[in-house]
Every structure is written in structure tokens, then in C-alpha cells.
Amino acid sequence: MKKLSVLLFAALLCANTSIDAQRKKKKNKNKTEQPAPPPKKKNGIKPYSQVITKDAKTDEGLFKVHKIDQTYFFEIKNDLLEKDMLLVSRIAKVPAGLGGGYVNAGSKTNEQVVHWVRFQNKILLKLKSYNSVAADSLAINVSVQANNYEPTLFAFDIKALSKDSSAVVVDVTKFYGTDVKAISGMPSAWRTQYKVRNLDKDRSFINRMSSYPENIEVVQDFTYNANTPPSNRSTGSISLQMNQSMILLPEEPMQPRLFDPRVGWFTTSQYDYGSEELKADRKTYLRRWRLEPKDKDAYMRGELVEPIKPIVYYLDPGTPENLRKYIKQGIEDWQQTFETAGFKNAILAKDPPTKEEDPEFSPEDIRYSVVRYVASTTRNAVGPSVSDPRSGEIIESDIIWYHNHLRSYRNRYLLETAAANPSARTLNTPDEEIGEMMRMVIAHEVGHALGFPHNMAASYAYDVESYRDGAFTQKNGIAASIMDYARYNYIAQPGDENIRFIRQIGPYDHYATNWGYRYLDANSPDAEKNTLTKWIEEKGADPQFKFGRQSSRFDPQSQTECIGNDPMKASEYGLKNLKYVATNLPKWTSDVTNNYDDLGELYGEMLGVWSRYVGHVVTNVGGVKEDLKAPNQAGTVYKHVDKNTQKLSMLWLQANAFETPKWLVDKDILQNIDHAGYFERLRRLQSRHLNGLLSFDRIGRLIDAETVNTEYYSALNMLRDLRNGLFKEVRSGRKVDIFRRNLQRSYIDRMEYLMTEDMRPSFRSRMVYNVNTSDVRALVRGELKSLRTRLRNARGGAQDTVTRYHYDDMVARIDQLLDPK
């Protein structure tokens, strides 16, 4: 019985097992059987085939770029980790009005050296600085690294290793697809200005990624939600397209060339803590292209030799066909200066490649230097560049030309040269002359892109009378360098013949190109120094080879828009011409067009021309001449303008600036271009120059001059001469007209400023001093007391009621200022 029970239990168990198995089989009949997942690696790194699947689209280049649906991966070879790369962020497409008119397609927003670093199972993209350096072999390098720790721009998880483990794979979608501030085209100032709330993820995406042998190009489309966008306000958003370029920097940096301030160059600097100096040695290098001769032996024999890699500029595909030849000429005008440096065909201009020639051509691609043609109402052109901070080597540059810029040149051509130049007496300037202007603007901007800053002393190299000599101007142009702001010959007078009115490349440009670009067979920057110094000293006495800094706003030798070596005489000629133009302006504009638009525009710009001529003479007063030189050269670096020149300049200003220039107040013009504001326009212009004379830094320089030589023109001399001229009606008893009344009240306002305000640091002046402890307040108080006495005496004899009221008002203002209680 017991045995039977056991058998029955066994049979029942088998039956139940069979039934359960059938049920499970039936239940799973419609399910697809899944293979067991492979075990995950503890470090999170997956097999390559699971990350870069058969669906991936791959672009070979510096890195392999893989795209799977909307996810992007970089496959970075291990031997590219720790390598220096330049990450350049540019705006590729821009909405109208963003940034106030000086932001365009092609504008660079950031430039930074980065490298990819492995840390455990992550890849870090780290910013790298060369501001502080020391050789790896030196112990102090450890301290340099510790005290200049590199920020991490982004951290990427390693998703996989390549099949042979020679590369790492990282997902870069988030880095390029979200609002990463380090590469954003939306800086903090714009976020505040346009009240940007956030990046709209649904309307932002990676447009494309392309990999080339030495660079990666990424195009991003970003849309930001903003309360006050610069255009299309009803959308409440700002859309822009960004281009991110990452280029591998040369394994062997170009040999730097040491900077000397006596020759103008854009530069890059670093502090060398490995120097034998008793401090961190600040080394400054030129920013220049790497030009090396193909045939070094022939080059050293003095033969013209082509460079291994010439400088090539492409034209923007959007450049109007009728302007292309002038742009090309402006670029290749620099070939002559490179020949002086021993190179032929060193700089070339090319049309943009067609789609068939290069389907991937993009002006934002860092492989190409491009002259960008920008459809914008902005009137300007610029020549920025991208450089390697290790050596100063220029990697790429874009020249930016704004469409409306030729309008400025047409207007100034008419205003500044039409008196002596009949072809400028029209709104329809001949095409060849407009083309020549554009050519020289492009040449100027290319000069910037080659490494040259403005040289404001170049126009001071020539005698004023030489500008009236046709043979001289045809040979030498109007300045010793195209890099000066000397656009037109405004000195030449009616009847002068064969005059060149437009600037051109000059002798300084040849000299500076040779100094910076000539290949020297030397193994270090220091080994070149003696040769470079010798070349400077050989030219030291010739004003054609002088460099004048744009920042030298105190130096009458280095002024923007000024030509000739005597600002008073040059401005005298300029005003003669401008008076002729003012008389004929309606005839050349509104009489031809039958509307007043051009007349109004040119009249406004004519006031600006008048103001520039006056400003050139103002600089003489309290002026200090700067002549950069080494101790072994004769003379001092700084020298105050002589007393006689300053005194004569004050007389000139009284006669031409502060005596009412009634020829500018032409009712036939004013009453046809505006209904009001006639007296205020002139007051603003005159007050600008009055305030310039009565500035803390100018008075401070005049006080400084007394500490060097009591025979110099003093602050008291200047203040007395100014007061006596501005208030000459007080002595003569004459009626004071409305323009003079406005100017005299502006004088009181400015004296109040000098009495009550403190000096603030300014980019216009490096001079800051304690005004309260200086002579300034005492001098101003004394001048106001003297003026008050004369006004009190004169008001009883005033010839008209308004003049008497005016004197009463000024006395009351001075009383309030001197005794506020």
C-alpha cells in the first residue's frame, strides 16, 4: 500500500510538471525569444559595436565623426590626447541688428586653446593658457602648472574604445547641442540687453559636423527665448547659426620674433618663469604668418623665392561681381612689400570655389581666409585674425567689408577734395575712383590681418606743402603707410595739378614687412635681435619710418585723419576747401536730385569734417611729442610742444573754432533739412573742443611741463588766453550773438566741472592725479573771479538787453559756484 502511494505521488508530480511546461510554452508562444544581454563592464565602457552601430554615418578626418540619428560621437585617437588645438567660435548667420550693427556673419566670438585629456573613464576638454610658461625641464614648471590650473570646459564619459583600443569614443551631442557658455554666440551683455531667458531646446540643434585632416567644423542652429530681441520682436526669440572650428596646432611651433615698440605690430605676450631675470620675464612676440622660403639657399643669396605656404584670401561668394577686381587688387598690393622681404607670390587672392570645385567650401571653415562681404548698413571694414598664442603664428584671418562703407568714402571724397578735385563734385563718383578707394580700404584691412596696427605717425612724415605737389603725391601718396588713418588729400588747393587724392601703400609698409617677415637663418628669437635692432637704428632719423601709436592722443604727430607735419597749416588749407564745398553743396546735391536727403546727410558729415580739422589743432595745446627710441639713440622719448606753437594754436582756435563760423550756418541749407536745432548743432561742436581744452589730463600735462621747464606754455597761460578770447566782447562792449552766448555758458559749465568733479581713469589718457591737491582748483577759481569782475563792470555798458541779461546770468552762475551757500 505504501509502495502504491509513492507511485501515485510520482505520477501526479510528473503530470503536474508536464501541464506546467505546456502552459508556459503556450503562454510564451507569441513572444520573440531575446538573447541574454552581455554582462555590463563595471567601468561603463561598452563594446565598440554597441556604440558605433552599423547605422552610423562616419566622416574621416582629424577625429572620426560618427552620426547615429541625432547623436554625434567623436572617435579621438590616443595620440591626439594632450595635443594643443585652437577652438574658434564664430557667428555663421546673424539676425538683423544683433550687437548694434558691428556683428555680422563671420564675427568671431571666442578663441581659445584646448586639449583633450583622459581622466579615469572620462575625457576632459580643458582650456590651456600660455600666459605663464616655463620649460618642462625646469623645477619651477611644477609651480607654474599648480598656479595656473586649467579650467575644464566639459567632461565626457568614454562610451567605447576603438576595436584596437587606439582611440576613445565620446558622445559630443550635449556639448555642441546645448548652451555651453564657453562657445556660445550669446555673451552675457547680450543676454541682459535682449532679456534672454533660455535656449529653446526644441528649436536648437546641430546642423552638421565635418571632419578634415587637421580640423573639425561644427555648425549649430540655436534659438533663444528673449523678451526684447533686436529684430522680429513678435517672435520673442533670437535665432543665430554658430560655427565651431577646432584645428590642430603645429607640432613644432613657428619660431617667434621678438617685438620692438619702434615698429608697429599686433602682438602676443607671455610671462617666462624660467628666465634668468630676477622676475618673471614678459616676452612679447609678433603676430605674423609663417613664411618660409621654398629654396632657402637661393633666398639667402638675395633671390626672390616663393614661400612654402603662401597667404591665400578667398572672396566671399556673396561679393558683387563689379567689385571683385578691386578687392583682389587690394589684397595683392601687398605682394610688392613681401618682395622687399625676399618673397614672391607671398599673398594671393582667389575667387570662391564653385560647388563643383569644392562642394564643402564654407567661409567659416578655419582652413580658409576669406574677405567677407556683409549685407549691412554699417559703414566700416575690419581685419581680424586668429593666431597661435605659443608663437604668434597667424593661422587664419577674415577681412570684413560692410556693404554701406563705400557711401562714407564717397561722401568724404566730395567734402574733403571737391574744392581741388572736379571729379569729386558729384554724388555719382566715377566707378574707377570708387574702385580705387575700395582697393585701398581692403589693402588697409589686409595690413591688419598681416599683423600691422594703425601707424598714426605716417602722415606726419610729409611736409604740408608737398601735398600740393603733383609729382610728389603721385609717387608718395598722402602718408608713409597705408596703415594710417589718412584717407584723402584735403590740403591740395584749387588749381594744383596732377594731384593724387587717395592713399596708397608707402615706404613704411615695405620697411615693416621686411622687418617682420624677412626670413633670418637664426635658431632663436634672441639670435635675431641684433639684426632687427640694426635695421631700426639705420632708419631712426627718417620720419618716413617712424611708428606712432594710435593711443598717443596727446601727440600732435600721431593723430587720426590728419595729414602733414603742421596741423595748423594743414587745417587752414582744409577749412579753405571746406568753405568752397559748403557754398556749392546744394548745387552738387539737391539741385541735381530734386530732394534734400543727400544735402542733409552731407551737411551733417561736413560739420564732422570741420570738427576734425579743429581737433587736430587742439592737440597742439598741452601736446607732448612721443618718439619711441632706445637709450643709445639721441634725444628724449617725450618732449612738450614748444610754447610759441601752443600760443599760436590758441589764437588759431579762437579765430576758427570759437569765433562763430557763420559760413556753417547757411539758412539755404538749414531751412531745407530740419525745422529746428540750428544753434544747438554748432554749440555741441564748439563745446566739444572747449571741453577738450579744459580737461584734467590736458591741464595736468601743462602743469607737468612747468616742472620740466618754466619757459614752457603753462596752464595759467592757456586758461588766460582762452578766457580773453572767449570773452573779448566784455572788453570791447560789443553785442554778444546767440552762438557766443551759448559757448560762454558752456565755458562756465565746464569750469564748474573742473571745480567739483574728480579725475577718473580713461582709455583716452594714462594720466591720473589728485585734482584736489593740484593747482587745478586754484587756477579755475582765480579765472572765475577775474571773469566775474569783468562781467560786473561790463554789464552796465551792454549794448542790448539780451547781452545784459546774459552777463547777469553768468555773474549769478559764478557766484553760485564760488559760494554755494
Side-chain angles (χ1 to χ4, degrees):
M1 185 68 181
K2 185 176 182 180
K3 186 176 181 181
L4 181 60
S5 298
V6 171
L7 290 171
L8 287 171
F9 177 75
L12 184 60
L13 181 64
C14 289
N16 287 339
T17 302
S18 176
I19 292 169
D20 287 343
Q22 290 177 22
R23 286 176 179 170
K24 287 181 180 179
K25 187 174 182 180
K26 187 175 182 180
K27 186 176 181 180
N28 295 329
K29 187 175 181 181
N30 296 324
K31 285 194 174 182
T32 303
E33 292 187 6
Q34 297 290 334
K40 289 185 178 180
K41 293 190 177 182
K42 292 180 180 180
N43 57 16
I45 298 176
K46 296 180 179 180
Y48 185 84
S49 60
Q50 288 188 27
V51 177
I52 307 303
T53 67
K54 63 181 185 331
D55 297 323
K57 296 178 181 179
T58 301
D59 192 12
E60 300 271 358
L62 177 65
F63 305 155
K64 286 183 180 179
V65 174
H66 306 287
K67 181 185 179 187
I68 304 173
D69 293 329
Q70 297 305 312
T71 303
Y72 290 86
F73 298 92
F74 280 175
E75 185 174 328
I76 307 169
K77 290 182 179 180
N78 293 333
D79 58 11
L80 288 174
L81 297 177
E82 306 280 0
K83 299 292 186 184
D84 289 345
M85 299 183 185
L86 201 60
L87 177 57
V88 180
S89 305
R90 279 197 181 89
I91 297 176
K93 293 183 180 179
V94 61
L98 187 72
Y102 283 90
V103 176
N104 53 267
S107 289
K108 183 175 63 176
T109 60
N110 206 351
E111 175 184 335
Q112 47 202 332
V113 177
V114 297
H115 59 164
W116 301 80
V117 179
R118 180 164 184 171
F119 173 73
Q120 298 176 356
N121 294 318
K122 290 183 179 292
I123 295 295
L124 309 179
L125 183 61
K126 295 186 74 70
L127 188 65
K128 191 168 184 178
S129 172
Y130 281 91
N131 291 336
S132 298
V133 299
D136 293 345
S137 59
L138 298 175
I140 197 172
N141 182 59
V142 177
S143 180
V144 170
Q145 298 303 320
N147 288 283
N148 294 274
Y149 188 60
E150 303 165 351
T152 299
L153 298 185
F154 211 86
F156 305 85
D157 291 327
I158 297 176
K159 297 297 185 182
L161 302 178
S162 63
K163 293 177 182 178
D164 61 359
S165 297
S166 65
V168 295
V169 177
V170 295
D171 183 345
V172 296
T173 311
K174 188 175 181 181
F175 177 65
Y176 286 111
T178 58
D179 193 15
V180 177
K181 298 291 177 66
I183 60 173
S184 172
M186 187 64 62
S188 298
W190 292 356
R191 291 172 193 262
T192 301
Q193 180 182 355
Y194 303 124
K195 298 181 180 177
V196 173
R197 300 192 303 277
N198 58 352
L199 182 72
D200 190 325
K201 294 180 180 179
D202 293 334
R203 292 186 288 167
S204 300
F205 50 89
I206 299 170
N207 186 297
R208 66 177 175 85
M209 287 191 189
S210 301
S211 187
Y212 304 100
E214 293 188 346
N215 61 301
I216 305 284
E217 301 294 325
V218 180
V219 179
Q220 308 156 301
D221 277 274
F222 282 166
T223 294
Y224 294 88
N225 292 309
N227 292 344
T228 57
S231 55
N232 299 312
R233 292 205 167 190
S234 62
T235 66
S237 58
I238 300 171
S239 292
L240 70 159
Q241 191 176 88
M242 291 295 298
N243 190 97
Q244 307 293 342
S245 298
M246 186 179 296
I247 186 169
L248 181 66
L249 289 173
E251 185 74 23
E252 184 66 33
M254 178 187 73
Q255 179 170 293
R257 179 157 294 178
L258 288 167
F259 170 65
D260 189 307
R262 293 171 290 180
V263 186
W265 280 86
F266 291 129
T267 61
T268 186
S269 297
Q270 54 188 222
Y271 286 97
D272 184 0
Y273 284 86
S275 169
E276 294 181 1
E277 298 286 335
L278 298 178
K279 61 182 178 69
D281 188 10
R282 188 170 189 264
K283 292 185 176 178
T284 303
Y285 302 123
L286 310 188
R287 291 181 61 179
R288 59 191 184 127
W289 296 81
R290 184 187 293 218
L291 289 185
E292 298 168 340
K294 284 182 179 178
D295 186 339
K296 190 185 296 185
D297 292 336
Y299 184 91
M300 300 311 289
R301 290 195 301 268
E303 299 175 27
L304 287 180
V305 175
E306 290 188 344
I308 295 171
K309 185 179 179 181
I311 304 163
V312 179
Y313 279 96
Y314 290 88
L315 270 60
D316 189 317
T319 306
E321 287 78 2
N322 65 314
L323 299 176
R324 292 189 176 194
K325 71 174 182 177
Y326 303 116
I327 295 174
K328 289 180 179 178
Q329 288 171 342
I331 295 166
E332 295 189 346
D333 277 342
W334 284 94
Q335 285 188 359
Q336 57 185 300
T337 71
F338 280 110
E339 289 179 3
T340 302
F343 292 101
K344 65 179 179 181
N345 299 324
I347 184 167
L348 305 171
K350 293 186 178 183
D351 285 318
T354 63
K355 287 290 185 183
E356 293 72 26
E357 292 170 334
D358 186 351
E360 294 186 316
F361 175 80
S362 167
E364 287 78 35
D365 190 333
I366 202 166
R367 294 177 297 163
Y368 303 105
S369 293
V370 180
V371 179
R372 302 294 301 259
Y373 196 96
V374 180
S376 167
T377 57
T378 299
R379 297 185 181 184
N380 199 14
V382 294
S385 62
V386 173
S387 64
D388 182 346
R390 304 172 304 172
S391 63
E393 178 185 356
I394 296 174
I395 303 297
E396 176 268 357
S397 81
D398 286 341
I399 310 300
I400 311 296
W401 174 274
Y402 296 90
H403 179 73
N404 276 23
H405 200 30
L406 281 177
R407 179 85 169 192
S408 299
Y409 277 82
R410 189 239 15 214
N411 289 359
R412 288 188 57 176
Y413 192 55
L414 186 154
L415 293 169
E416 296 182 25
T417 77
N421 179 16
S423 68
R425 299 169 188 169
T426 176
L427 297 174
N428 299 311
T429 311
D431 290 345
E432 281 302 312
E433 292 176 45
I434 283 286
E436 179 72 0
M437 296 173 208
M438 185 177 199
R439 173 181 179 176
M440 293 307 155
V441 179
I442 292 294
H444 177 94
E445 301 306 336
V446 170
H448 285 320
L450 294 175
F452 303 123
H454 291 133
N455 177 6
M456 295 309 181
S459 55
Y460 201 84
Y462 300 154
D463 184 81
V464 169
E465 294 300 327
S466 297
Y467 288 87
R468 302 189 61 188
D469 183 332
F472 180 90
T473 58
Q474 292 297 338
K475 178 182 177 181
N476 299 286
I478 61 174
S481 172
I482 192 78
M483 302 314 298
D484 199 331
Y485 270 174
R487 303 172 204 267
Y488 296 117
N489 180 352
Y490 59 78
I491 290 173
Q493 297 294 292
D496 295 343
E497 298 180 351
N498 193 35
I499 299 296
R500 180 173 178 87
F501 291 98
I502 302 170
R503 59 184 167 174
Q504 64 187 23
I505 284 178
Y508 173 87
D509 302 314
H510 287 263
Y511 160 69
T513 304
N514 181 71
W515 192 88
Y517 279 103
R518 178 165 286 279
Y519 179 81
L520 297 176
D521 196 10
N523 59 10
S524 72
D526 288 329
E528 298 180 338
K529 193 170 182 179
N530 287 340
T531 299
L532 297 172
T533 300
K534 178 184 176 184
W535 290 347
I536 293 173
E537 291 175 351
E538 287 173 350
K539 305 290 189 183
D542 191 332
Q544 291 185 101
F545 306 107
K546 172 182 164 62
F547 173 68
R549 297 186 293 185
Q550 186 175 3
S551 60
S552 301
R553 297 177 184 273
F554 49 81
D555 185 358
Q557 301 172 118
S558 299
Q559 300 197 72
T560 62
E561 316 289 355
C562 186
I563 59 175
N565 63 355
D566 183 339
M568 267 190 296
K569 185 186 283 189
S571 290
E572 188 72 34
Y573 278 132
L575 289 182
K576 283 183 180 179
N577 287 335
L578 204 58
K579 289 174 183 177
Y580 179 92
V581 170
T583 302
N584 290 279
L585 201 55
K587 182 171 71 175
W588 298 337
T589 57
S590 54
D591 289 359
V592 177
T593 63
N594 199 33
N595 70 62
Y596 293 111
D597 293 345
D598 290 295
L599 177 64
E601 180 180 325
L602 282 159
Y603 175 76
E605 292 189 28
M606 183 173 70
L607 295 179
V609 174
W610 174 86
S611 183
R612 278 197 296 274
Y613 295 162
V614 171
H616 296 157
V617 181
V618 169
T619 308
N620 273 341
V621 181
V624 180
K625 294 182 178 181
E626 180 182 62
D627 292 298
L628 301 172
K629 57 184 63 180
N632 66 333
Q633 293 176 288
T636 59
V637 174
Y638 297 102
K639 182 180 179 181
H640 293 87
V641 173
D642 66 273
K643 183 175 183 177
N644 188 54
T645 298
Q646 294 196 58
K647 196 165 185 65
L648 289 174
S649 296
M650 285 298 293
L651 291 173
W652 190 96
L653 291 168
Q654 295 288 357
N656 294 282
F658 301 140
E659 188 72 40
T660 305
K662 299 241 177 114
W663 57 277
L664 285 176
V665 189
D666 186 335
K667 66 178 182 179
D668 291 335
I669 295 177
L670 292 174
Q671 290 185 313
N672 285 313
I673 64 174
D674 211 337
H675 73 288
Y678 309 148
F679 66 84
E680 178 62 12
R681 288 191 195 200
L682 195 55
R683 186 204 67 80
R684 287 179 183 172
L685 289 172
Q686 290 179 309
S687 295
R688 174 185 175 187
H689 297 296
L690 176 64
N691 293 346
L693 287 170
L694 295 174
S695 64
F696 285 126
D697 61 329
R698 194 178 309 276
I699 295 171
R701 291 197 300 273
L702 288 166
I703 295 172
D704 264 345
E706 296 178 65
T707 68
V708 177
N709 187 337
T710 55
E711 295 302 313
Y712 278 135
Y713 195 61
S714 68
L716 179 60
N717 293 150
M718 187 274 285
L719 291 169
R720 281 183 174 172
D721 287 346
L722 180 62
R723 171 173 54 80
N724 288 334
L726 287 179
F727 293 92
K728 63 181 183 181
E729 295 91 344
V730 174
R731 298 195 310 273
S732 67
R734 292 189 317 176
K735 175 182 176 180
V736 186
D737 70 26
I738 183 173
F739 298 101
R740 294 283 287 182
R741 295 197 300 269
N742 290 338
L743 183 61
Q744 289 170 2
R745 292 189 192 103
S746 295
Y747 169 86
I748 301 297
D749 286 347
R750 188 62 178 181
M751 295 295 267
E752 179 181 5
Y753 171 85
L754 294 176
M755 279 289 289
T756 58
E757 296 294 325
D758 291 322
M759 190 174 191
R760 300 179 181 90
S762 167
F763 77 95
R764 294 180 179 274
S765 173
R766 291 172 291 174
M767 183 180 190
V768 179
Y769 60 94
N770 189 317
V771 176
N772 276 323
T773 60
S774 74
D775 285 341
V776 173
R777 310 279 203 224
L779 289 168
V780 171
R781 189 181 300 276
E783 285 298 300
L784 287 172
K785 284 184 174 181
S786 295
L787 176 60
R788 181 173 60 182
T789 299
R790 286 164 174 74
L791 289 169
R792 284 170 173 169
N793 293 335
R795 58 187 173 183
Q799 294 182 359
D800 68 305
T801 302
V802 174
T803 297
R804 186 171 67 254
Y805 286 173
H806 170 59
Y807 287 169
D808 285 339
D809 177 63
M810 286 197 293
V811 169
R813 290 181 186 219
I814 295 172
D815 286 341
Q816 177 66 25
L817 178 57
L818 295 181
D819 188 8
K821 296 180 182 180

